Amino acid sequence: MAAATAPASSSSSSGWDFTCNFEVDYGSEDHASIVYKTLAVDTELQPDKVRREMTVSGGKLVVRFEAIEARFLRASFSAFVDLMVLLTKLVEEYSVTNEEHSAL
């Protein structure tokens, strides 16, 4: 369901040397959008040390993290994934599909 890549570091001079990119395929633009909108309000606690960019495309949530140190990347990524897993379970359990909504 999810794919992630995380190069250890790069020789970038910008200071954002540690990155992680991943995507989660929800199979539905609606489900991916619900997760995106919910997670988007939770900003990074240390934006001077960690940056996060999210988009929704083709039913997939696409996320990119950048950090100045590996430990900041790990902490931010771990907390984000914990919330994302909870939201994914909620969406899968309680979401109403368009077909179900039109039948109501």
Side-chain angles (χ1 to χ4, degrees):
M1 183 176 209
T5 59
S9 67
S10 67
S11 59
S12 171
S13 62
S14 68
W16 300 93
D17 295 336
F18 299 88
T19 62
C20 178
N21 300 302
F22 74 100
E23 62 184 40
V24 179
D25 187 354
Y26 287 96
S28 158
E29 195 79 18
D30 289 338
H31 288 181
S33 182
I34 290 168
V35 174
Y36 169 84
K37 288 176 185 176
T38 306
L39 291 170
V41 299
D42 188 24
T43 59
E44 290 299 325
L45 296 176
Q46 298 180 329
D48 58 320
K49 296 180 174 104
V50 179
R51 293 192 290 214
R52 179 181 72 217
E53 297 174 12
M54 295 188 302
T55 58
V56 172
S57 177
K60 295 180 182 181
L61 177 67
V62 181
V63 186
R64 176 178 175 81
F65 286 90
E66 296 178 330
I68 61 171
E69 292 182 29
R71 65 188 176 117
F72 294 123
L73 178 62
R74 182 206 52 80
S76 183
F77 179 82
S78 178
F80 180 86
V81 169
D82 287 346
L83 289 173
M84 188 190 66
V85 167
L86 176 62
L87 287 167
T88 300
K89 289 178 181 178
L90 289 169
V91 166
E92 289 174 348
E93 183 72 24
Y94 297 108
S95 281
V96 176
T97 64
N98 286 336
E99 294 83 27
E100 291 171 338
H101 188 269
S102 63
L104 294 176

